[in-house]
Amino acid sequence: MEAKGLRLSSGGGIIGQRLSGSIAAAILVAACCVAVVPFAFMLGASLMPGSDVTSIPYRWIPEKPLWSNFLNAMRGSDGDWIYLRNIFNSFVVATTVSISSVFLASFTGYGLAKFKFRGRGIVFMGIMATMMIPFEAVMIPLYLTAVKLGLQDTYAGLIMPFLTSAFGVFLMRQYLLGFPDELLDAARIDGCSELRIYRSVVFKNAGPAVATLAILAFRGQWDNLLWPLLITQSEELKTIPSYIVRYTADLTADEGTMMAVAVIAALPVFCLFFTMSKYFLQGAGVYSGSKS
Amino acid sequence: MTTVRKKRSLEARRNSWGWFFVAPGILFFSTFSLYPICNALWTSFHNKKLLSLKPPKFIGLQNYAKVLSSPDFWNSVRASATFCLGVFLPIFIASLLFGVLIASRTRGRRFYQLALYSPAILSSVVTASVWAIMFDPRGLANQLVNGLMGTPGIDRRWLADSTMVQISTMLVYIWKTVGYYTILFVTGIGKIPASVIEASIIDGANPWQRLTRITMPLLKPTMALVSVMIFIGSLKTFSTQYLFTQRGAPLEPINVLTLNIYNTALYEQNLGRASVMSLLLFATLLVLSGIQVKAAGSGEDM
């Protein structure tokens, strides 16, 4: 990493180098500030009374941190604590989807990567084709299908359309293609059943791909607004995004509390981000990474 | 001979386990991807209302004709196209610039990447709600712009004016996605073989020449990929527009296709027309995805 940086900035005079180097750093630091400012605003405002959030001039640091905003955010404007329930729902949905998408995707990906059965090419192409079907284009027919299956306004309805993803299958297949066949054969000679091989040889060694996919799936559901909006009616089954929309739509709601609601929603994913940033960046780079 | 045949049949039996592993996946994708898209096609030729119990009637191309002749649909096409084109250049240029700059640094690469990527972590609804507060008439956005331009007390009407609300949704989207594409560029630059760059240094190329003659041409596949991804991603935008309109912003200027589909299906309960719009959006995205696969494929020659 270091050697490469030196290479890119060598040549030209030392002064020129330093100058262009510091210009680059200045641009990057400015960009990072722009990226981070709304976070600072969100955090600061979540501890202010609403009148301070829209005060002119705006003071970034709350005079006295107003922790009750967070209590009010949880309690909700109707005092029914429904936000807690919605947070719980988001956890249930995101965790279930994350676990199931890892299992189903690795299962399917393993089948596609390591068995030369007849029709494999067609199955693979078929699944890849569904990757091109964007959710936004099938949500209405999907909704009708879900209603037919009796999934309306249920947890199953929130979860089932996302049990796995074509992208996940693709990711796992690519990863498992590189898995050494010798290990599988050795396990077979030892008398392992195929299922056991999958469980204790393949899945256990797919760590990085599993982590990347689990995080992508969790985040996807944590962020999902459109589908819960369609499939759920009762407030008890709604997830965080729809609650935020409802709260923000209320123009009389206190802005400080609104930002506290936002901070609470952002917190879990940011905890994940700070502890597992490597897999986040890997997840982001998957597209360009799949090329090599 | 017999042992060979035995071995073959053993292998065939083992390979049929493949079906066992892919079967759950096939079941899932048939139910939740293939069936709905076929169903959408069917619905688009029928007169179907959301809560009606009447059996849908076949009406041929009437839904298509109705959609294609409605000014509301064309307004959505305009809104989506404006949004796509409006965000494309800023995102592309900024992420390419940041990507190249980050790759040129020796220290702090990881920090820059994480800081720039952090907006992409924030869920889109949270993002929209934070920006909605900043776009308040007395909010931070007015104060910053007025401070920079020396025009105190002017309200830019971020969420009220029909032009401004389009710009506002674009700003939010640009802020949120630049970091993601920056990472794609950093990854792409990292894939350029060191030997190529070393050779150019030995040949006496200066940093600028290396950037324009080596890095940029070799980065073309990544550029193509990122361009298509920006188009696809921005065509799918929904949350910001939805939340802003729920907070009282005018619908018409930012009534992008996804939002229109949602409203047509849920409020007008007209599934036939919603399906037609879905399919038209799908066709557009399919063409773009096809280009994306090509772009990603051409990267393999790199």
Side-chain angles (χ1 to χ4, degrees), chain B residues 208-220:
Chain B
W208 179 247
Q209 284 171 329
R210 276 204 306 277
L211 181 68
T212 52
R213 307 259 172 88
I214 311 281
T215 311
M216 287 300 157
L218 286 176
L219 209 54
K220 262 187 195 151

Side-chain angles (χ1 to χ4, degrees), chain A residues 1-2 4-12 21-22 24-25 27-29 31-32 34-39 41-42 53-58 60 104 107-108 110-112 114-119 123 127 130 132-134 136-145 148-149 151 160-166 169 185 188 194-195 198 219 222-223 225-226 229-230 241 244-245 248-251 255 258-259 262 265-266 269-270 273 277-278 280-281 284-285 287-289 291-292, chain B residues 14-22 24-26 28-29 31-37 39-40 43 48 50 97-98 101-106 109-126 129-134 136 138-140 143 175-176 180 183-184 187-191 194 197-198 201 207 210 215 221-222 225 229 236 238-239 242-243 246-247 258 261-262 265-266 271 274-275 278 281-282 285-286 289-290 292-293 295-296 299-300 302:
Chain A
M1 218 185 258
E2 192 148 343
K4 185 166 173 213
L6 283 176
R7 267 203 302 279
L8 283 173
S9 55
S10 69
S22 47
I27 293 174
L28 284 175
V29 168
C32 291
V34 174
V36 170
V37 157
F39 287 102
F41 173 81
M42 176 173 81
V53 178
T54 51
S55 69
I56 302 176
Y58 180 69
W60 291 86
L104 261 174
F107 217 63
T108 315
Y110 176 53
L112 288 171
K114 288 298 176 193
F115 297 91
K116 294 185 197 72
F117 57 94
R118 201 177 282 180
V123 173
I127 294 179
T130 68
M132 290 186 190
I133 305 178
E136 288 74 5
V138 292
M139 62 183 180
I140 300 306
L142 190 64
Y143 173 66
L144 294 176
T145 312
K148 252 185 229 166
L149 295 171
L151 299 175
M160 281 191 60
F162 306 100
L163 281 178
T164 191
S165 62
V169 172
D185 286 335
R188 278 188 192 114
E194 294 293 335
L195 263 180
Y198 159 77
R219 250 195 64 207
W222 199 258
D223 200 1
L225 167 68
L226 206 39
L229 220 49
L230 279 169
I244 293 180
V245 171
T248 318
D250 178 7
L251 289 170
E255 286 89 349
M258 208 177 282
M259 289 301 94
V269 179
F270 269 86
F273 181 53
S277 56
K278 188 176 125 200
F280 272 88
L281 294 186
Y287 277 98
S288 52
K291 285 187 297 183
S292 64
Chain B
R14 187 209 296 158
N15 279 333
S16 62
W17 270 94
W19 277 109
F20 171 80
F21 282 108
V22 297
I26 293 177
F28 174 83
F29 289 112
T31 322
F32 291 108
S33 287
L34 290 180
Y35 173 69
I37 199 78
N39 193 0
T43 312
K48 193 168 161 68
L50 187 55
L97 175 71
F98 299 154
L101 290 180
I102 287 176
S104 78
R105 304 299 296 162
T106 45
R109 281 159 152 239
R110 202 179 153 73
F111 168 79
Y112 293 131
Q113 284 190 64
L114 288 181
L116 286 177
Y117 189 54
S118 53
I121 302 298
L122 206 58
S123 75
S124 43
V125 182
V126 174
S129 78
V130 173
W131 283 81
I133 304 295
M134 295 203 293
D136 189 274
R138 295 176 57 85
L140 191 60
Q143 294 187 35
W175 175 78
K176 185 161 165 48
Y180 175 71
I183 300 217
L184 292 192
T187 318
I189 294 170
K191 288 231 168 65
I197 294 167
E198 270 155 23
I201 294 172
R210 276 204 306 277
T215 311
T222 312
L225 185 75
M229 284 177 74
K236 293 174 163 188
F238 174 80
S239 303
Y242 180 68
L243 189 134
Q246 291 290 308
R247 205 174 151 77
T258 44
I261 293 172
Y262 173 80
L266 240 72
L271 295 176
S275 293
S278 301
L281 177 66
F282 174 48
L285 289 168
L286 199 63
S289 306
Q292 182 191 1
V293 169
E300 269 165 39
M302 206 168 83

Side-chain angles (χ1 to χ4, degrees), chain B residues 49-282:
Chain B
K49 295 274 182 203
L50 187 55
L51 296 173
S52 156
L53 291 170
K54 270 188 288 181
K57 215 174 71 198
F58 180 78
I59 51 167
L61 289 170
Q62 273 182 39
N63 280 326
Y64 287 84
K66 229 178 229 165
V67 165
L68 290 175
S69 64
S70 89
D72 181 51
F73 169 73
W74 289 107
N75 173 57
S76 286
V77 171
R78 182 215 42 89
S80 281
T82 315
F83 185 80
C84 274
L85 296 174
V87 298
F88 178 76
L89 269 187
I91 294 178
F92 186 85
I93 293 174
S95 55
L96 179 59
L97 175 71
F98 299 154
V100 167
L101 290 180
I102 287 176
S104 78
R105 304 299 296 162
T106 45
R107 263 180 291 169
R109 281 159 152 239
R110 202 179 153 73
F111 168 79
Y112 293 131
Q113 284 190 64
L114 288 181
L116 286 177
Y117 189 54
S118 53
I121 302 298
L122 206 58
S123 75
S124 43
V125 182
V126 174
T127 309
S129 78
V130 173
W131 283 81
I133 304 295
M134 295 203 293
F135 285 143
D136 189 274
R138 295 176 57 85
L140 191 60
N142 271 333
Q143 294 187 35
L144 279 180
V145 170
N146 287 337
L148 284 174
M149 295 174 63
T151 51
I154 291 182
D155 178 12
R156 310 270 154 189
R157 295 164 54 80
W158 299 94
L159 298 181
D161 182 74
S162 68
T163 312
M164 282 312 283
V165 76
Q166 294 182 55
I167 296 176
S168 304
T169 51
M170 291 178 197
L171 282 177
V172 176
Y173 193 82
I174 294 168
W175 175 78
K176 185 161 165 48
T177 51
V178 161
Y180 175 71
Y181 296 114
T182 302
I183 300 217
L184 292 192
F185 276 123
V186 173
T187 318
I189 294 170
K191 288 231 168 65
I192 296 174
S195 55
V196 177
I197 294 167
E198 270 155 23
S200 72
I201 294 172
I202 293 167
D203 290 347
N206 65 37
W208 179 247
Q209 284 171 329
R210 276 204 306 277
L211 181 68
T212 52
R213 307 259 172 88
I214 311 281
T215 311
M216 287 300 157
L218 286 176
L219 209 54
K220 262 187 195 151
T222 312
M223 289 188 202
L225 185 75
V226 167
S227 317
V228 182
M229 284 177 74
I230 297 174
F231 273 118
I232 294 178
S234 57
L235 269 178
K236 293 174 163 188
T237 179
F238 174 80
S239 303
T240 313
Q241 283 81 357
Y242 180 68
L243 189 134
F244 281 7
T245 52
Q246 291 290 308
R247 205 174 151 77
L251 172 66
E252 195 229 325
I254 52 173
N255 192 10
V256 288
L257 278 166
T258 44
L259 190 55
N260 197 343
I261 293 172
Y262 173 80
N263 284 329
T264 306
L266 240 72
Y267 292 107
E268 294 175 31
Q269 311 220 323
N270 195 328
L271 295 176
R273 282 168 62 190
S275 293
V276 169
M277 284 195 276
S278 301
L279 286 168
L280 292 173
L281 177 66
F282 174 48

Side-chain angles (χ1 to χ4, degrees), chain A:
Chain A
M1 218 185 258
E2 192 148 343
K4 185 166 173 213
L6 283 176
R7 267 203 302 279
L8 283 173
S9 55
S10 69
I14 296 273
I15 298 168
Q17 249 180 65
R18 287 249 170 95
L19 190 66
S20 66
S22 47
I23 290 173
I27 293 174
L28 284 175
V29 168
C32 291
C33 285
V34 174
V36 170
V37 157
F39 287 102
F41 173 81
M42 176 173 81
L43 283 175
S46 72
L47 293 170
M48 294 175 189
S51 55
D52 279 12
V53 178
T54 51
S55 69
I56 302 176
Y58 180 69
R59 286 180 304 270
W60 291 86
I61 317 283
E63 272 174 54
K64 199 169 121 251
L66 194 66
W67 295 103
S68 61
N69 272 353
F70 282 85
L71 192 70
N72 289 333
M74 293 288 194
R75 187 187 292 138
S77 33
D78 307 334
D80 51 8
W81 300 90
I82 200 77
Y83 193 30
L84 281 180
R85 181 67 198 266
N86 295 159
I87 293 171
F88 172 76
N89 292 344
S90 273
F91 264 110
V92 170
V93 172
T95 314
T96 317
V97 165
S98 165
I99 292 170
S100 84
S101 75
V102 162
F103 274 106
L104 261 174
S106 64
F107 217 63
T108 315
Y110 176 53
L112 288 171
K114 288 298 176 193
F115 297 91
K116 294 185 197 72
F117 57 94
R118 201 177 282 180
R120 176 170 76 157
I122 296 170
V123 173
F124 181 61
M125 287 311 288
I127 294 179
M128 286 304 99
T130 68
M131 199 152 93
M132 290 186 190
I133 305 178
F135 179 76
E136 288 74 5
V138 292
M139 62 183 180
I140 300 306
L142 190 64
Y143 173 66
L144 294 176
T145 312
V147 171
K148 252 185 229 166
L149 295 171
L151 299 175
Q152 207 176 4
D153 221 17
T154 61
Y155 277 111
L158 283 169
I159 292 165
M160 281 191 60
F162 306 100
L163 281 178
T164 191
S165 62
F167 178 72
V169 172
F170 175 71
L171 183 79
M172 293 312 284
R173 175 188 171 265
Q174 295 305 96
Y175 186 81
L176 292 174
L177 274 179
F179 197 83
D181 284 317
E182 292 79 10
L183 275 179
L184 302 177
D185 286 335
R188 278 188 192 114
I189 289 165
D190 286 347
C192 279
S193 71
E194 294 293 335
L195 263 180
R196 175 105 192 272
I197 293 174
Y198 159 77
R199 205 183 49 196
S200 46
V201 181
V202 177
F203 191 78
K204 273 198 181 146
N205 288 301
V210 165
T212 304
L213 181 57
I215 285 177
L216 278 178
F218 187 92
R219 250 195 64 207
Q221 288 315 304
W222 199 258
D223 200 1
N224 197 351
L225 167 68
L226 206 39
W227 181 249
L229 220 49
L230 279 169
I231 198 73
T232 59
Q233 272 88 48
S234 49
E235 297 301 332
E236 287 77 37
L237 270 170
K238 294 235 186 294
T239 49
I240 294 175
S242 12
Y243 180 82
I244 293 180
V245 171
R246 198 166 61 102
Y247 203 100
T248 318
D250 178 7
L251 289 170
T252 60
D254 180 89
E255 286 89 349
T257 313
M258 208 177 282
M259 289 301 94
V261 168
V263 169
I264 294 168
L267 218 54
V269 179
F270 269 86
C271 291
L272 265 183
F273 181 53
F274 284 122
T275 47
M276 307 184 84
S277 56
K278 188 176 125 200
Y279 297 109
F280 272 88
L281 294 186
Q282 250 169 34
V286 160
Y287 277 98
S288 52
S290 66
K291 285 187 297 183
S292 64

